[in-house]
Amino acid sequence: MTTTIHKIKPSTTCLKWISLFFLCLLVCISCKKTTRPETEDDDEVDSEWIENQGHLYEYGICIDSLDITNYTIKNGDSPSAIFTRLGFSAAKTDSLCKVSAKVFDPKKLRAGMTYTTITVKDSLASIQYIIFAQSMTDFSIIDLTGEDGVKAYAYNKEIRFERRYLEGVITSSLWNIIKNNGADPLLALKISDILAWQVDFFDVKEGDSFRVVYDVAFIDDTTELNVSSIEGLVFAHRKKEYTAIPFTQDSVREYFDREGNSLRGAFLKAPLDFFRITSRFTNARFHPILKRYRAHHGVDYAAPVGTPVKTIGDGTVTAKGFDQKGGGNFVKIKHNSVYTTTYMHLSRFGKGIQQGAHVKQGNIIGYVGSTGLSTGPHLDFRVHKNGQPIDPLKMESPPAEPVKAGLRDSFEIVKRNVLAEMDSLQSAANKQTVNN
């Protein structure tokens, strides 16, 4: 049997329809390749999709055909000086200064900060964008590409968070054990802040231990910023175990123990993070400068000049100045009708610290110095109760409000999840240790 194949010559109309069909098909394919896929949050930039297109982006700008140049701000630089140095006319410089002032405060420019220009790759190298870095994540962009004139807007780099787990047994200090394990030692400060009312971290003992789950912030996928938050903590000190569960109550994220009691006390145990006690509360101390015995109704904390000094509780600044009797630069804070604290020998005062200013627990009110009658940098810290001096190291601190009754069920769920995650991560860490 012979099969005959007939070639059908299409008509002109048919050819038009076929051509139209293939044209539509090509458009559909093209759209599929270049249209960003929808996400749950359509405002979120899909970085993976951008990479798949083979384009290079910086500050949200496609720089495939552009050059980037980075500069460092010098002493005395102002936006006007920078724009002039970049080659802009006086009129253009004035225009750029007015526009840029909408997105950043020129008074906050400091030597060492950076700015960037993005230019066209040609002989003229005309500037398309100027970017001022406000921080590692926040930038102010001046856009000179628009037909309607210069625009300025803020740009924030996306921050990614990575969950981590660490445990250890203390042999010298919490700072050292964390650092020796390859983690950011500032994690020690966050741990000490959380348990500042329960544990004296200058009295930790060899054999004390901890387990902590925390988040680390990243930008550009590989640049580690800092320890963002602690998501669960167990600290064993003097054979007693302290647990910290993060929980949000009244829009404030705080830490509570397993029973739902707040770990935050009315007062911090100390006004410094790390220090060495050189003199304690006494009625008869030999003064190294005056060469005689007299009462020392405070505690001396030795620390390097410039170490931040924090108020131990909420209150109002009742006095600030220089004590001619030997205290040097000092700040006095009234916390309530019962307690007042005084911080002396400061090198300088904290921002906004003036008589009548309200401060919150942990606010920096000054910095360690050696002003007044002092043989070296230290903080002389004093506490008065009902007008009478008391030993700061023996002061009791009432706890803050516990988890409210109406939120107990929610807290129990959060607690179970936190402890389960800690146990899971601990198990995984132990398996990894065995395998290694």
Side-chain angles (χ1 to χ4, degrees), residues 106-169:
K107 294 180 181 179
K108 293 185 178 180
L109 290 183
R110 297 288 184 271
M113 295 173 67
T114 62
Y115 64 97
T116 300
T117 60
I118 299 180
T119 57
V120 174
K121 291 181 179 180
D122 59 24
S123 57
L124 296 178
S126 58
I127 295 175
Q128 304 289 290
Y129 301 90
I130 305 172
I131 298 101
F132 287 90
Q134 307 299 307
S135 67
M136 291 186 70
T137 58
D138 303 323
F139 302 85
S140 299
I141 298 180
I142 303 173
D143 182 353
L144 295 92
T145 64
E147 295 180 358
D148 300 329
V150 180
K151 296 184 298 183
Y153 58 91
Y155 174 78
N156 308 105
K157 283 191 175 182
E158 183 181 356
I159 299 177
R160 177 178 63 85
F161 298 97
E162 180 178 294
R163 182 64 53 89
R164 291 184 180 178
Y165 172 82
L166 183 66
E167 63 179 51
V169 177

Side-chain angles (χ1 to χ4, degrees), residues 163 215 228-232 245-256:
R163 182 64 53 89
D215 283 345
S228 172
S229 62
I230 289 180
E231 300 300 320
I245 307 295
F247 184 71
T248 300
Q249 178 170 262
D250 296 332
S251 301
V252 177
R253 191 174 193 262
E254 295 188 46
Y255 292 88
F256 299 85

Side-chain angles (χ1 to χ4, degrees), residues 305-327:
V305 171
T307 300
V309 176
K310 301 184 294 186
T311 172
I312 66 167
D314 297 356
T316 302
V317 177
T318 58
K320 166 206 168 183
F322 189 88
D323 178 23
Q324 300 289 347
K325 296 180 180 180

Side-chain angles (χ1 to χ4, degrees), residues 1 22 40 62 84 116 125 131 133 136 153 239 264 282 325-326 374 391 407 415 430-431:
M1 179 183 293
F22 279 106
E40 292 181 0
C62 181
T84 300
T116 300
I131 298 101
M136 291 186 70
Y153 58 91
K239 298 182 179 180
R264 180 173 62 88
T282 178
K325 296 180 180 180
S374 169
D391 187 347
L407 296 174
K415 180 179 74 174
N430 290 339
K431 287 181 181 178

